């Protein structure tokens, strides 16, 4: 007998998951070798894009009833979207997994703790940049008051799951916000900078360096004050309507008519930002504005290349030669199709020899907050990634997303390679290379 929850879940799949998109899948299997969870589970079809699409359709058609194994199959998906470039039929898997998570969240009962956490996260911290800043100030107090040192010394963190201890160990030091520098160079391009929530709090030094490098290249940078979190975390967690609330706020905050580009420096944010156009295409008040916003959105490495940074990098000289490599941000590569630009910048960076990381385009296991929600699978995927790092032995592993950066730092820490290898954001890497070699 079908329970009330199972019936409600079936109805939610019918309501939320697009049948036409499900029918696009030809079950050819080209997606299988591109899927990290399929490979990490020794080719378990349930944890492949093809298998998940089959489950989505079965749930929608009523051929499968909801249970823990079905939920696990969807929860285990990283949402990295590596299956999309591999798919000859152009299946919109990203849309399908987002719709599936909306269907689940609408139908699944939540206990009090989950309600509190979701409310605090999606209606609080990730809905209001001021609340995010206040939260990060607590992290700053924890780091600078001596509490962090004391906590580590007495072994208090050992009471928590190992992955939480590891993530605490790679938290960046929160610095006091510095005044953004002015530049006397003539401005030929005007851009609006999407500062992001984590990037403008935990990683505000990277944001500062981003603006300095843009000004060094002759760009006028404006930073809209009312911008909010991009909404990606909401969208990937079944809270799409709340993600679109943030999208509308950001579209209102950015006057895209008066800038040449809108630039971001976080791959995960950039993918969702460029898809505002898709998500709001049926909104009569925002469709046109969302399209204009998305069309002007550009990743920082792409803008650096457009502005001629490669030429500037080649003009600098260095006697040193260290190995540098690059770990792709999944969404930057698979959604925004940006992968050549960051590599070209690293190839031209003074003092370094670029070498390609084995399977650089495969996910590192971060995937937003996936490494917190699915620590065991994230660990398996990171271990596969670190095999390539060990073989290459670079001095720097560069990436373009804060989550990827912290995940790679965890991997380096687990291997005991902190003295030999550093994980760095591409902006920090370029900034330091230029500062070191500029006359």
């Amino acid at each position: 007998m079908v329970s009330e929850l199972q019936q409600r879940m079936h109805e939610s799949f019918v309501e939320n998951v697009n049948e036409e998109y499900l029918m696009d899948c030809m079950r050819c299997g080209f997606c299988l070798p591109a899927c990290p969870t399929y490979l990490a589970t020794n080719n378990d079809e349930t944890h492949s894009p093809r298998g998940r699409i089959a489950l989505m359709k079965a749930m929608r058609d009523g051929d499968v009833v909801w249970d823990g194994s079905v939920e696990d199959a969807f929860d285990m998906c990283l949402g990295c979207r590596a299956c999309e470039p591999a798919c000859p039929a152009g299946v919109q898997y990203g849309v399908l997994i987002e719709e599936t998570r909306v269907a689940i969240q609408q139908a699944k009962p939540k206990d009090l703790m989950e309600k509190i956490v979701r409310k605090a996260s999606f209606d609080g911290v990730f809905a209001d940049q001021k609340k995010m800043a206040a939260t990060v100030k607590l992290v700053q107090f924890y780091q600078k008051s001596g509490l962090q040192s004391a906590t580590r010394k007495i072994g208090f963190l050992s009471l928590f799951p190992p992955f939480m201890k590891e993530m605490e160990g790679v938290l960046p030091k929160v610095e006091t916000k510095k005044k953004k520098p002015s530049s006397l160079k003539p401005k030929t391009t005007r851009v609006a900078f999407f500062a992001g929530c984590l990037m403008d709090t935990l990683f505000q030094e990277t944001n500062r360096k981003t603006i300095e490098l843009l000004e060094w290249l002759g760009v006028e940078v404006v930073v809209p004050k009312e911008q909010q979190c991009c909404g990606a975390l909401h969208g990937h967690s079944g809270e799409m309507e709340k993600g679109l609330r943030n999208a509308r706020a950001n579209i209102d905050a950015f006057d895209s008519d008066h800038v040449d580009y809108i630039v971001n420096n976080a791959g995960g944010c950039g993918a969702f930002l460029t898809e505002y156009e898709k998500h709001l295409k049926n909104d009569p008040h925002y469709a046109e504005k969302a399209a204009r916003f998305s069309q002007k959105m550009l990743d920082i490495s792409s803008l650096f290349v457009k502005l001629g940074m490669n030429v500037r990098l080649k003009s600098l000289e260095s006697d040193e030669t260290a190995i540098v490599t690059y770990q792709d941000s999944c969404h930057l590569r698979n959604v925004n199709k940006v992968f050549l630009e960051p590599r070209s910048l690293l190839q031209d960076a003074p003092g370094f020899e670029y070498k390609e990381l084995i399977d650089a385009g495969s996910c590192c296991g971060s995937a937003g907050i996936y490494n917190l929600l699915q620590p065991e699978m994230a660990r398996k995927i990171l271990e596969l990634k670190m095999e390539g790092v060990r073989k290459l032995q670079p001095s720097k592993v560069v990436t373009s997303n804060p989550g990827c950066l912290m995940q790679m730092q965890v991997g380096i820490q687990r291997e005991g390679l902190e003295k030999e290898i550093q994980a760095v954001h591409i902006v920090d890497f370029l900034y330091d290379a230029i500062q070191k070699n500029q006359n």
Side-chain angles (χ1 to χ4, degrees), residues 209-210 212-217 300-316 344-346 348-350 426-427 429-431 434:
K209 291 174 183 177
T210 299
E212 280 199 43
L213 286 177
L214 287 172
E215 292 186 337
W216 180 65
L217 290 167
I300 188 64
S301 60
S302 300
L303 183 56
F304 282 160
V305 170
K306 280 181 177 290
L307 294 171
M309 179 175 274
N310 294 76
V311 175
R312 302 288 290 273
L313 290 171
K314 288 177 181 178
S315 69
L316 304 174
S344 75
L345 292 166
L346 300 187
D348 291 334
I426 190 167
V427 167
F429 172 81
L430 293 171
Y431 183 93
I434 291 167

Side-chain angles (χ1 to χ4, degrees), residues 5-30:
L5 171 59
Q6 290 169 334
Q7 180 61 32
R8 191 163 66 243
M9 195 65 74
H10 163 61
E11 292 170 356
S12 189
F13 268 74
V14 172
E15 179 184 351
N16 291 289
V17 182
N18 188 307
E19 185 176 26
E20 184 179 339
Y21 289 166
L22 289 173
M23 298 303 293
D24 288 339
C25 179
M26 303 183 300
R27 300 191 57 78
C28 64
F30 277 89

Side-chain angles (χ1 to χ4, degrees), residues 102-228:
V102 169
I104 293 169
Q105 286 306 315
Q106 288 186 4
K108 185 182 175 183
K110 302 174 183 64
D111 60 29
L112 180 61
M113 181 54 69
E114 184 176 355
K115 288 180 180 177
I116 292 172
V117 170
R118 282 184 169 268
K119 181 73 174 175
S121 299
F122 300 129
D123 291 325
V125 174
F126 292 106
D128 186 336
Q129 192 69 351
K130 292 178 181 178
K131 291 178 181 177
M132 171 63 78
T135 302
V136 172
K137 281 185 179 179
L138 294 177
V139 177
Q140 186 181 42
F141 173 78
Y142 168 71
Q143 292 175 335
K144 295 194 173 183
S145 65
L147 186 59
Q148 184 180 49
S149 299
T151 299
R152 291 176 175 179
K153 189 174 182 179
I154 64 176
F156 180 70
L157 291 170
S158 298
L159 299 175
F160 294 89
F163 70 90
M164 290 188 66
K165 182 178 179 180
E166 290 173 339
M167 294 306 294
E168 189 275 346
V170 298
L171 276 175
K173 289 185 178 180
V174 182
E175 303 294 341
T176 303
K177 206 161 191 174
K178 297 180 181 179
K179 184 179 179 182
K180 294 180 175 69
S182 58
S183 173
L184 299 177
K185 293 182 181 295
K187 303 296 187 292
T188 57
T189 305
R190 190 169 194 259
V191 306
F193 179 46
F194 184 84
C197 49
L198 285 179
M199 290 304 300
D200 208 38
T201 48
L202 279 178
F203 296 91
Q204 59 185 241
E205 273 296 287
T206 304
N207 274 6
R208 180 184 66 81
K209 291 174 183 177
T210 299
I211 293 171
E212 280 199 43
L213 286 177
L214 287 172
E215 292 186 337
W216 180 65
L217 290 167
V219 174
E220 179 186 355
V221 183
V222 295
V223 187
K225 292 182 179 180
E226 301 304 316
Q227 59 181 291
Q228 302 296 337

Side-chain angles (χ1 to χ4, degrees), residues 31-32 35 37-38 44-53 93:
C31 60
L32 300 182
C35 178
T37 54
Y38 176 74
D44 184 344
E45 183 81 16
T46 308
H47 296 300
S48 72
R50 182 173 70 179
R52 292 186 180 106
I53 290 173
Y93 182 83

